[in-house]
Amino acid sequence: RAFLYRLWKGTVSSKMLNPRLQKAMRYYMSFNKHGVRFRGRREVRRTGPELLCELRRRVRVRTLDGKEPPFSALGWRPLVPGVPLSQLHPRGLRTCAVVMSAGAILNSSLGEEIDSHDAVLRFNSAPTRGYEKDVGNKTTVRIINSQILANPSHHFIDSSLYKDVILVAWDPAPYSANLNLWYKKPDYNLFTPYIQHRRRHPTQPFYILHPKFIWQLWDIIQENTREKIQPNPPSSGFIGILIMMSMCREVHVYEYIPSVRQTELCHYHELYYDAACTLGAYHPLLYEKLLVQRLNMGTQADLHHKGKVVLPGFRALRC
Ligand code: C5P
């Protein structure tokens, strides 16, 4: 519990993680699979409001538009959606929910509150059916990693989870954001299933995030963190929060910073236990959470009992 209290207050450090997670972190640090080289400057003293304005100034949600090589030569231009993700709701949504897949959301009875938002973002294969009371049943946007597209076990082609929603896919690219290298060697091949899906369902909004956007978020996390963070992309959760901050006037994030229900149960829909799901091993998840904790404008009671963080959308900020 002491760890949880310090996470709520934002005073936790990776040194307080269990030895197994610390070892995993050290492994990823030395492996540096994506060739990360941090060139920014640490600016760790920013207050929450200063950080919010910095995010608004810098964060630009970007998706593949088919105009850059190799995608231009591959004929992607007419295949990607005509309307960019950032323009789907040009006047912005009022309030939005980001629902993390954490086990801690079980028995929360947050479903009704979540569904009352104008838009709801969910992740990967997180279901609503059978869990409505705790997670609600509305889904507006779903962020999926490349494994969902590439691994047949997820039934991307025919599962109802991926129908009638805005889909946003991503895959870890080299830090250099060299699109040619990435296209030749993605983590999981998301390109072929993406194009197939675009041909079959041309009216469904479906985007692939630009590696520059993902690594820009990584740079911002590292700049604002005292410790050296894992040289791997931020988690889908952090990416989703920033996408919704660009599209909504207010963003309510559920069970990212864990509530009193904190558990090692990885996902609410799966019987699998691992503290790394909540605290991170591959992803710099602990540092993402410390950053989001600093930005929280919600109450301590909501944080403790709902695992809820309230963030202003970029267009609601006065900077
Ligand atoms: O595991 P998955 O990536 O599908 O979960 C979606 C997001 O929810 C993660 O990227 C992470 O940010 C967040 N999450 C969490 N704690 C968990 C499980 C997921 O914070 N136990």
Side-chain angles (χ1 to χ4, degrees):
R1 284 292 121 165
F3 188 87
L4 185 58
Y5 285 111
R6 300 199 59 162
L7 184 52
W8 286 342
K9 285 202 285 179
T11 56
V12 77
S13 128
S14 64
K15 313 245 167 11
M16 299 163 200
L17 292 170
N18 75 45
R20 184 182 64 90
L21 291 189
Q22 288 196 40
K23 194 173 160 195
M25 276 183 71
R26 280 199 301 274
Y27 164 79
Y28 288 117
M29 296 284 190
S30 59
F31 192 41
N32 194 5
K33 179 176 179 191
H34 310 290
V36 171
R37 242 189 77 204
F38 180 58
R39 293 183 195 83
R41 258 188 48 190
R42 305 250 175 115
E43 210 41 88
V44 295
R45 281 172 211 287
R46 286 194 182 104
T47 63
E50 283 167 353
L51 201 48
L52 281 166
C53 287
E54 179 68 10
L55 288 170
R56 181 174 96 149
R57 191 173 72 77
R58 285 176 54 192
V59 173
R60 294 286 172 273
V61 178
R62 198 171 155 192
T63 59
L64 296 184
D65 59 8
K67 290 183 199 162
E68 293 169 284
F71 304 105
S72 44
L74 291 161
W76 276 44
R77 188 67 229 284
L79 278 168
V80 304
V83 183
L85 176 58
S86 55
Q87 243 115 82
L88 275 184
H89 297 278
R91 286 185 300 134
L93 296 152
R94 205 166 39 86
T95 82
C96 298
V98 178
V99 185
M100 298 301 166
S101 311
I105 206 160
L106 282 179
N107 301 315
S108 66
S109 299
L110 283 166
E112 209 173 308
E113 174 175 328
I114 289 168
D115 283 343
S116 73
H117 291 277
D118 300 324
V120 178
L121 171 67
R122 300 183 195 274
F123 297 94
N124 295 318
S125 58
T128 53
R129 225 166 110 198
Y131 300 94
E132 293 88 347
K133 191 165 178 294
D134 295 327
V135 306
N137 67 20
K138 177 176 184 167
T139 307
T140 318
V141 187
R142 195 174 277 276
I143 297 196
I144 52 180
N145 57 42
S146 47
Q147 295 173 50
I148 299 280
L149 289 157
N151 190 332
S153 72
H154 289 291
H155 300 280
F156 175 67
I157 300 175
D158 43 31
S159 166
S160 62
L161 287 174
Y162 312 107
K163 296 203 164 78
D164 304 314
V165 296
I166 300 166
L167 287 175
V168 180
W170 73 279
D171 177 77
Y175 182 75
S176 63
N178 180 323
L179 301 183
N180 284 301
L181 282 181
W182 180 42
Y183 185 76
K184 276 192 212 129
K185 217 168 163 291
D187 220 18
Y188 290 85
N189 180 5
L190 75 168
F191 302 116
T192 312
Y194 174 75
I195 288 303
Q196 266 169 10
H197 191 281
R198 289 298 306 151
R199 292 215 166 97
R200 243 176 253 170
H201 310 278
T203 56
Q204 181 176 8
F206 185 7
Y207 304 88
I208 295 181
L209 291 174
H210 199 291
K212 284 213 167 122
F213 168 63
I214 291 172
W215 288 116
Q216 177 187 40
L217 298 184
W218 186 90
D219 286 339
I220 294 173
I221 299 166
Q222 181 60 89
E223 278 171 37
N224 290 284
T225 303
R226 253 170 240 283
E227 296 176 22
K228 203 166 165 208
I229 74 171
Q230 293 95 318
N232 296 321
S235 73
S236 301
F238 190 78
I239 294 170
I241 291 169
L242 273 293
I243 290 178
M244 289 320 244
M245 286 174 81
S246 323
M247 296 179 44
C248 315
R249 294 194 70 80
E250 194 167 277
V251 182
H252 295 223
V253 183
Y254 296 93
E255 287 294 356
Y256 187 54
I257 314 283
S259 68
V260 287
R261 291 178 299 275
Q262 188 200 20
T263 164
E264 291 200 355
L265 181 65
C266 182
H267 293 133
Y268 63 83
H269 53 92
E270 239 174 9
L271 213 61
Y272 169 67
Y273 292 84
D274 186 350
C277 296
T278 306
L279 302 174
Y282 173 78
H283 297 291
L285 188 58
L286 182 64
Y287 303 109
E288 301 170 14
K289 293 188 182 197
L290 285 170
L291 208 65
V292 168
Q293 188 278 340
R294 263 159 83 191
L295 305 177
N296 185 18
M297 314 255 281
T299 66
Q300 287 300 301
D302 274 355
L303 181 61
H304 300 175
H305 300 294
K306 297 180 177 174
K308 175 163 98 165
V309 162
V310 180
L311 305 168
F314 294 144
R315 59 187 99 202
L317 286 173
R318 304 199 154 270
C319 292

